[in-house]
Amino acid sequence: MSTPWSKMAQNTPSSVVRDMLQAAQAPGMISLAGGLPAQTSFPLEAIRLAYEKVFMSGSAALQYAETEGYRPLRVKIAERLESKGLPASPDHMLLTTGSQQSIDLICRILLDPGDRVLVESPTYLAALQVIQSYQGVSHGVACDDHGMLPESLEEQLQLHRPKLVYINPTFSNPTGKVWSRERRQQAVDLCRKYSVLILEDDPYGEIRFNPEQLDVPALAALDAASYEGPSNVIYTSTFSKTVAPGLRTGWILAAPDIVKIAARAKQGADLHSSSIDQRALHALLETFDLDGHIRHISQDYEERMKKLTTLMASKSWDGITWNSPQGGMFLWLQLPEGMLASNLFTYGIQEKVCIVPGDSFYAGTPELNRMRINFTHTDPELLPEAVERMDRAIQRWHASNQSDHVVTM
Amino acid sequence: MSTPWSKMAQNTPSSVVRDMLQAAQAPGMISLAGGLPAQTSFPLEAIRLAYEKVFMSGSAALQYAETEGYRPLRVKIAERLESKGLPASPDHMLLTTGSQQSIDLICRILLDPGDRVLVESPTYLAALQVIQSYQGVSHGVACDDHGMLPESLEEQLQLHRPKLVYINPTFSNPTGKVWSRERRQQAVDLCRKYSVLILEDDPYGEIRFNPEQLDVPALAALDAASYEGPSNVIYTSTFSKTVAPGLRTGWILAAPDIVKIAARAKQGADLHSSSIDQRALHALLETFDLDGHIRHISQDYEERMKKLTTLMASKSWDGITWNSPQGGMFLWLQLPEGMLASNLFTYGIQEKVCIVPGDSFYAGTPELNRMRINFTHTDPELLPEAVERMDRAIQRWHASNQSDHVVTM
């Protein structure tokens, strides 16, 4: 008997990148592929103490809990958001098992098969996959270094009448770019004009190398400042990059009706996320200097990024360029025309260095000569060797006569 | 602007029972309504030590982890299942955020709008809701005290050509009943005959009052013993009732292709469940006498059940009967014809005792004179008072002339 898969299952292909990450597990591989924070950055001792506090407070943490999530943690998160200029209330918030679940729940409550979603070009791969799994159709909006181009956004809003605009505007995955304040306001205004909701995915926004130099409020904050009534922006973030991903705790902040319906969807999906982890995060936030910790991580990441780009620059690779991110976890590489990222990936694997080709990060026709580099996970001591290997992979490419053919592994 | 909800959202109504549980929160209320285990049963100290062990082992627990779940825990679970006669491999297993997520993922990968699912009559309410959210259509199969009636099951398999048969055969929610071995084998054979998958939801199976008296292997075990090749039964269970629900850890054991596709769906849904909780459960299972603990809980629950039914029997309520469960967490009450459970619920709320009417647990036309009583959560000291209040609620019903009208709160 062959299993009668649903259309959802049929529209949930295995992630190409996931398969690549399997390659990254090979012995001796240096991986700049995954989107992982530095394991050395996790405040292990503070987290340990936080869990200890939870268990000292009795067994309530072990019982079933409300779908919306542990309320005192929602209060803490709302306070943090308010302190950063984003109006927030614990009643307009749903705790989730990380940002990925936030994206999934929002697609679940909004998308019917055939519904359109506008996304950045390129955009976060796993969001594309979730949209596809609900049989939604993603359309890429043209972007430059400052965000979505307003004329492209408006044209596509008119053309596609989308249900949602999904964006990752601050230190985007995969590019590491940050939208300017002006572009944020323009997107907020255009989506209000066409009555289209924005899903602002902000996992990296707090990882800022020079916070004082950046004036980039969340689109949710700009929307609240510009318009009365319920927010038109669904804002989601997570503790995965500021504390640790293993705690699997993110949140959705949105208009009350969105939060209410998302909570119903979550009740069907898993009743609630781990209340122990939520309570531990709450205990952590009571005493731990999270802002100081984030400053510390951000400095560490900036140093790693600078070390990597300095090493790369010393190689004088012909026609290969990259940006200099002001935060987040990723660099975006541009290869010369005709140098296929997928081929360079293969040569990289042969040299035991793993970098992700950009191809999978596009809703429509991909740019084939882009690559994403994560600079936060690999031990900085390994970066010189990683760049040597990248250099040898590039030499392999030059030595081959197959610049425009696909090389198989 | 009104939010353009998806059909999934429109098919995810607020749970009636959830609203009733809100009523159960009122001050002074004694609730026999929720499906909660006894908070006093949680092995708090052992759990505390288990988390401590996890943090002692370093920060790996805090990093992103694989979607399938922490492998050493899957190994432990497989060993436990094998020891109870259910063939199991960690490779055919996916860890989830509890049984609810298991049900959701299975519906996600199997159900298209309009697809039929056969369920017991009555069945677990939240499964009905998940099936509905995927726009599946549930059909109830007639049941007696020993499980689904084979003739009704076969008739409906022929009539509806369902994608799935969902069952909760061991100490069912809501009835507390347990299927006989014979009925299990018949269901396994019929579903093989018609090539229809079974989803065996088994959260309560280990909570047995007299384990030696029961010969009720999991349907998954009978299927494996009777047929070659991949299992036709998707088996799901959880640590929510044997350790604690707050750890939000359940599992799916199924044929390799089901597990593979469910893992892809889970990757889109939330990447993975809390790895800290999974590792803590693994650490717990290494030293904790879980079987002894389960025997202890089961004795406690049996005493609670007996205390409650003895108190109820002493009232000599005219025409009200109930079963005597051999395990699990629920009693199923039958009221006289014409005594609407929803009215008795309302009188109960007025008397500050909360019991759930059975109406919502049916796929089709409900029996309107059934009620579910949870005997595991309320402090046993409160049971005499709870029964007094039930008695007064019943007296209110008799005093009213509205036996067949709906009384509003």
Side-chain angles (χ1 to χ4, degrees):
Chain A
M1 159 192 177
S2 67
T3 310
W5 305 120
S6 66
K7 291 201 178 63
M8 269 197 89
Q10 293 170 42
N11 280 282
T12 310
S14 179
S15 159
V16 180
V17 169
R18 197 183 183 209
D19 297 344
M20 286 176 179
L21 293 179
Q22 292 282 342
Q25 306 288 320
M29 188 72 69
I30 300 178
S31 175
L32 308 171
L36 283 70
Q39 202 158 304
T40 49
S41 77
F42 304 149
L44 179 63
E45 179 58 15
I47 292 174
R48 188 183 73 75
L49 289 170
Y51 278 82
E52 201 166 283
K53 256 198 203 169
V54 171
F55 294 119
M56 290 305 172
S57 73
S59 56
L62 300 175
Q63 188 56 282
Y64 282 113
E66 62 176 334
T67 303
E68 288 78 0
Y70 187 54
R71 192 180 166 83
L73 177 58
R74 283 186 277 142
V75 171
K76 283 268 179 221
I77 294 171
E79 286 169 4
R80 272 187 67 77
L81 294 175
E82 291 265 357
S83 77
K84 292 171 197 314
L86 177 50
S89 151
D91 297 321
H92 303 165
M93 196 182 292
L94 173 67
L95 299 188
T96 63
T97 311
S99 292
Q100 186 71 31
Q101 189 179 50
S102 303
I103 298 169
D104 184 68
L105 289 173
I106 295 304
C107 288
R108 186 166 172 141
I109 65 171
L110 291 177
L111 297 189
D112 284 321
D115 278 346
R116 267 90 23 131
V117 179
L118 302 188
V119 300
E120 291 159 274
S121 187
T123 188
Y124 174 49
L125 168 66
L128 289 176
Q129 292 174 329
V130 173
I131 293 163
Q132 187 188 348
S133 76
Y134 287 96
Q135 300 167 65
V137 182
S138 300
H139 292 277
V141 174
C143 297
D144 64 12
D145 286 348
H146 312 291
M148 278 184 174
L149 300 175
E151 50 275 28
S152 175
L153 174 56
E154 180 152 26
E155 188 188 300
Q156 303 227 39
L157 283 167
Q158 289 173 341
L159 181 63
H160 295 300
R161 295 282 160 184
K163 273 275 184 85
L164 194 64
V165 176
Y166 168 82
I167 56 172
N168 180 196
T170 311
F171 319 126
S172 129
N173 181 353
T175 68
K177 292 177 185 172
V178 57
W179 289 31
S180 69
R181 183 182 182 122
E182 189 189 2
R183 290 289 176 76
R184 288 166 190 254
Q185 186 69 50
Q186 287 165 329
V188 162
D189 294 340
L190 282 168
C191 287
R192 281 276 180 179
K193 180 175 168 188
Y194 292 94
S195 295
V196 175
L197 289 162
I198 295 173
L199 174 52
E200 179 176 19
D201 184 12
D202 188 27
Y204 313 106
E206 294 210 70
I207 311 290
R208 299 187 180 193
F209 300 157
N210 296 290
E212 59 289 346
Q213 289 174 18
L214 274 180
D215 174 30
V216 287
L219 279 80
L222 292 174
D223 183 85
S226 313
Y227 300 91
E228 301 273 310
S231 180
N232 194 50
V233 179
I234 303 161
Y235 178 88
T236 176
S237 188
T238 171
F239 289 106
S240 290
K241 277 75 184 184
T242 53
V243 178
L247 287 89
R248 309 300 308 123
T249 303
W251 64 88
I252 292 169
L253 176 75
D257 65 333
I258 305 261
V259 169
K260 183 177 155 194
I261 301 300
R264 275 190 203 166
K266 182 166 168 64
Q267 204 194 17
D270 63 10
L271 295 183
H272 63 87
S273 303
S274 167
S275 35
I276 300 171
D277 299 348
Q278 290 176 6
R279 284 172 185 251
L281 271 167
H282 173 258
L284 184 84
L285 293 182
E286 287 217 300
T287 53
F288 183 63
D289 175 14
L290 182 58
D291 285 323
H293 178 68
I294 290 171
R295 274 195 304 278
H296 170 77
I297 303 173
S298 301
Q299 279 166 10
D300 176 29
Y301 287 178
E302 185 182 19
E303 280 166 27
R304 289 164 183 251
M305 188 271 290
K306 285 188 169 160
K307 180 169 183 178
L308 178 65
T309 51
T310 303
L311 286 161
M312 284 162 58
S314 74
K315 290 294 176 187
S316 312
W317 292 322
D318 206 22
I320 301 182
T321 58
W322 52 85
N323 57 334
S324 182
Q326 295 172 276
M329 299 172 36
F330 302 105
L331 269 184
W332 191 234
L333 224 61
Q334 179 158 354
L335 311 178
E337 284 298 320
M339 184 185 264
L340 290 182
S342 55
N343 285 351
L344 197 52
F345 167 77
T346 305
Y347 292 129
I349 294 297
Q350 289 166 357
E351 293 291 346
K352 295 219 170 287
V353 63
C354 189
I355 311 175
V356 176
D359 313 17
S360 309
F361 295 86
Y362 293 83
T365 315
E367 304 272 4
L368 298 175
N369 62 338
R370 300 286 194 283
M371 299 195 93
R372 186 189 76 176
I373 296 186
N374 167 271
F375 52 79
T376 61
H377 184 243
T378 299
D379 182 347
E381 297 295 313
L382 292 175
L383 290 178
E385 178 60 22
V387 173
E388 289 304 322
R389 294 179 186 185
M390 285 163 64
D391 188 52
R392 290 200 295 272
I394 291 164
Q395 286 170 29
R396 275 187 188 246
W397 182 86
H398 282 294
S400 79
N401 292 312
Q402 300 178 301
S403 62
D404 52 357
H405 292 79
V406 175
V407 183
T408 52
M409 287 167 69
Chain B
M1 160 193 176
S2 67
T3 311
W5 305 118
S6 67
K7 290 202 178 62
M8 270 197 88
Q10 293 170 41
N11 280 283
T12 310
S14 179
S15 158
V16 181
V17 170
R18 196 184 185 208
D19 297 344
M20 287 177 178
L21 293 179
Q22 292 283 341
Q25 306 287 322
M29 188 71 69
I30 300 179
S31 176
L32 307 171
L36 282 69
Q39 202 158 304
T40 48
S41 77
F42 303 149
L44 179 64
E45 180 58 15
I47 292 174
R48 187 184 74 74
L49 289 169
Y51 277 83
E52 200 166 285
K53 254 198 203 168
V54 171
F55 293 120
M56 289 305 170
S57 74
S59 56
L62 301 175
Q63 188 55 281
Y64 283 112
E66 61 175 335
T67 302
E68 288 78 1
Y70 186 54
R71 193 181 166 83
L73 177 59
R74 283 185 279 141
V75 170
K76 283 268 178 220
I77 294 170
E79 286 168 5
R80 271 186 68 78
L81 294 175
E82 291 266 356
S83 77
K84 292 171 198 312
L86 176 49
S89 151
D91 296 321
H92 302 166
M93 195 183 292
L94 172 66
L95 300 187
T96 62
T97 311
S99 291
Q100 186 71 30
Q101 188 178 52
S102 303
I103 299 170
D104 184 67
L105 289 173
I106 294 304
C107 288
R108 187 166 172 141
I109 65 171
L110 291 177
L111 297 189
D112 283 321
D115 278 347
R116 266 88 30 125
V117 180
L118 302 187
V119 299
E120 290 158 275
S121 187
T123 188
Y124 175 47
L125 167 67
L128 289 176
Q129 293 174 329
V130 172
I131 293 163
Q132 186 188 348
S133 77
Y134 287 96
Q135 301 166 65
V137 182
S138 300
H139 292 278
V141 174
C143 296
D144 64 11
D145 284 350
H146 312 291
M148 277 184 175
L149 300 175
E151 50 275 28
S152 175
L153 175 58
E154 181 152 25
E155 188 187 301
Q156 303 228 38
L157 283 166
Q158 289 173 341
L159 180 66
H160 295 300
R161 294 283 159 183
K163 273 276 184 84
L164 194 64
V165 176
Y166 168 82
I167 56 172
N168 180 196
T170 312
F171 319 126
S172 128
N173 181 353
T175 68
K177 292 177 185 173
V178 56
W179 287 32
S180 69
R181 184 182 180 120
E182 190 188 3
R183 290 288 176 79
R184 288 166 190 255
Q185 185 69 51
Q186 287 165 328
V188 162
D189 294 340
L190 282 169
C191 287
R192 280 277 180 179
K193 180 175 170 189
Y194 291 95
S195 294
V196 175
L197 288 162
I198 294 173
L199 174 52
E200 179 177 19
D201 184 13
D202 189 27
Y204 314 106
E206 294 208 71
I207 311 290
R208 300 187 180 194
F209 300 157
N210 295 291
E212 59 290 346
Q213 288 175 19
L214 273 180
D215 174 31
V216 287
L219 279 80
L222 292 174
D223 184 85
S226 313
Y227 299 92
E228 300 274 309
S231 179
N232 194 51
V233 179
I234 303 162
Y235 178 89
T236 175
S237 188
T238 171
F239 289 105
S240 289
K241 277 75 185 184
T242 53
V243 179
L247 286 91
R248 309 298 311 121
T249 303
W251 63 89
I252 292 169
L253 177 75
D257 66 333
I258 304 261
V259 169
K260 182 178 156 193
I261 302 299
R264 274 190 204 166
K266 182 166 168 65
Q267 204 194 16
D270 63 11
L271 296 182
H272 63 88
S273 304
S274 167
S275 35
I276 300 171
D277 298 350
Q278 290 176 5
R279 283 171 184 252
L281 271 166
H282 173 257
L284 184 83
L285 293 181
E286 288 218 300
T287 53
F288 183 64
D289 176 14
L290 182 57
D291 284 323
H293 178 67
I294 291 170
R295 273 196 304 278
H296 170 77
I297 303 173
S298 301
Q299 280 166 10
D300 177 28
Y301 287 179
E302 186 182 18
E303 282 166 25
R304 289 165 182 251
M305 188 270 289
K306 285 187 169 160
K307 179 169 184 178
L308 178 65
T309 51
T310 304
L311 286 161
M312 284 162 57
S314 74
K315 291 292 175 188
S316 311
W317 292 321
D318 205 23
I320 300 183
T321 58
W322 52 86
N323 57 335
S324 182
Q326 295 172 275
M329 299 172 35
F330 303 105
L331 270 185
W332 191 234
L333 224 61
Q334 180 160 352
L335 311 179
E337 284 298 320
M339 185 184 264
L340 290 183
S342 56
N343 285 353
L344 197 54
F345 166 77
T346 304
Y347 291 129
I349 295 297
Q350 288 167 358
E351 294 291 346
K352 296 220 170 283
V353 63
C354 189
I355 310 176
V356 176
D359 313 16
S360 310
F361 294 86
Y362 292 83
T365 314
E367 305 272 4
L368 297 175
N369 61 338
R370 300 287 194 281
M371 299 194 92
R372 186 190 76 177
I373 296 187
N374 168 271
F375 53 77
T376 61
H377 183 242
T378 298
D379 182 349
E381 297 295 313
L382 291 174
L383 290 179
E385 177 60 21
V387 173
E388 289 303 325
R389 294 181 185 184
M390 285 164 62
D391 189 52
R392 290 200 295 271
I394 291 164
Q395 286 171 29
R396 275 187 189 245
W397 181 85
H398 282 295
S400 79
N401 292 313
Q402 300 178 301
S403 63
D404 52 357
H405 291 80
V406 174
V407 185
T408 52
M409 290 167 65

